[in-house]
Amino acid sequence: DTAVSQTPKYLVTQMGNDKSIKCEQNLGHDTMYWYKQDSKKFLKIMFSYNNKELIINETVPNRFSPKSPDKAHLNLHINSLELGDSAVYFCASSQGQRTDTDTQYFGPGTRLTVL
Amino acid sequence: GQSLEQPSEVTAVEGAIVQINCTYQTSGFYGLSWYQQHDGGAPTFLSYNGLDGLEETGRFSSFLSRSDSYGYLLLQELQMKDSASYFCVASGSGNTGKLIFGQGTTLQVKP
């Protein structure tokens, strides 16, 4: 029944490792997003996809690579993890890309801790 | 640059009214949203203002003045469950889904 789900909920790993976070939405939405929330609760958009096409690509290190196998899924792969990557990563989805009519629904978040 | 300013913390008592102000400076501004986030939870949408004026949704109201680059969220009849962080969010770069979040205001409701 969960609208936007993410796995895993918690991820603890060593510096230098490669990890992936998965996101799935069952709302039938066309647009999906990845956000990063740091320890000060600052929430910043990283990427957005519309129907598997990359729309928003903020200034994010190229160690971060999103992949959208279909419009219901948007995964985030992170290479060579660094301490500064520790944060909560939220996936979100919306029907379309319009911010005036298309509410974004957030997943429960993945807390990534890099040791 | 793009920035939003809101108070970091607000405290109020149950049953009271509280107003959280937000000023913004964003390119391609399209509208202002408010999101609520409980500790450990996901941000959830509360309201959107695309035009100047007041939008009311139950106990919550939100206001926008484009000429002043200013908005606020008004919470009435505060309940303990309203204790959360509230984010002022600007739609930047036009109507493209790009949301720019403020730093958030932590609201603590006391009995």
Side-chain angles (χ1 to χ4, degrees), chain B residues 57-72:
Chain B
T57 311
R59 295 186 297 114
F60 295 178
S61 304
S62 57
F63 172 82
L64 175 65
S65 167
R66 286 173 173 268
S67 59
D68 297 321
S69 296
Y70 163 77
Y72 67 71

Side-chain angles (χ1 to χ4, degrees), chain A residues 7-104:
Chain A
T7 53
K9 188 165 174 63
Y10 299 96
L11 185 54
V12 181
T13 188
Q14 300 285 335
M15 261 196 316
N17 284 350
D18 303 338
K19 290 293 178 185
S20 291
I21 307 172
K22 296 187 175 183
C23 178
E24 176 181 2
Q25 54 93 4
N26 63 6
L27 297 167
H29 287 168
D30 288 338
T31 309
M32 296 184 72
Y33 310 80
W34 276 111
Y35 286 85
K36 178 181 180 180
Q37 186 170 43
D38 64 23
S39 57
K40 295 183 179 178
K41 293 190 178 178
F42 182 56
L43 198 61
K44 186 169 166 50
I45 189 167
M46 301 172 70
F47 304 102
S48 79
Y49 272 73
N50 181 263
N51 268 319
K52 303 195 298 174
E53 180 185 350
L54 182 65
I55 302 298
I56 295 173
N57 186 354
E58 287 296 286
T59 309
V60 175
N62 57 15
R63 298 182 295 103
F64 290 78
S65 52
K67 283 193 172 55
S68 182
D70 55 61
K71 72 175 193 178
H73 296 85
L74 181 62
N75 304 323
L76 184 65
H77 188 75
I78 315 170
N79 288 327
S80 303
L81 278 156
E82 300 177 357
L83 293 176
D85 298 331
S86 295
V88 181
Y89 291 85
F90 285 99
C91 176
S93 75
S94 59
Q95 183 59 59
Q97 300 173 64
R98 295 176 62 97
T99 39
D100 57 347
T101 56
D102 298 318
T103 300
Q104 294 186 22

Side-chain angles (χ1 to χ4, degrees), chain A residues 42-45 58 99, chain B residues 1-6 22-33 48-49 64-66 68-71 88-96 98-103:
Chain A
F42 182 56
L43 198 61
K44 186 169 166 50
I45 189 167
E58 287 296 286
T99 39
Chain B
Q2 303 188 78
S3 66
L4 295 98
E5 296 287 334
Q6 55 182 124
C22 171
T23 57
Y24 61 86
Q25 181 180 2
T26 59
S27 59
F29 177 82
Y30 207 86
L32 198 70
S33 304
Y48 174 79
N49 292 73
L64 175 65
S65 167
R66 286 173 173 268
D68 297 321
S69 296
Y70 163 77
C88 164
V89 184
S91 303
S93 300
N95 201 7
T96 61
K98 179 176 176 179
L99 297 181
I100 300 162
F101 281 72
Q103 292 277 31

Side-chain angles (χ1 to χ4, degrees), chain B residues 24-82:
Chain B
Y24 61 86
Q25 181 180 2
T26 59
S27 59
F29 177 82
Y30 207 86
L32 198 70
S33 304
W34 289 88
Y35 278 73
Q36 178 192 60
Q37 185 180 29
H38 286 98
D39 266 351
T44 55
F45 173 80
L46 290 178
S47 68
Y48 174 79
N49 292 73
L51 301 173
D52 282 4
L54 194 67
E55 293 282 341
E56 296 178 79
T57 311
R59 295 186 297 114
F60 295 178
S61 304
S62 57
F63 172 82
L64 175 65
S65 167
R66 286 173 173 268
S67 59
D68 297 321
S69 296
Y70 163 77
Y72 67 71
L73 178 70
L74 189 74
L75 299 89
Q76 302 182 73
E77 299 172 23
L78 281 173
Q79 302 174 9
M80 297 298 290
K81 67 178 182 179
D82 297 329

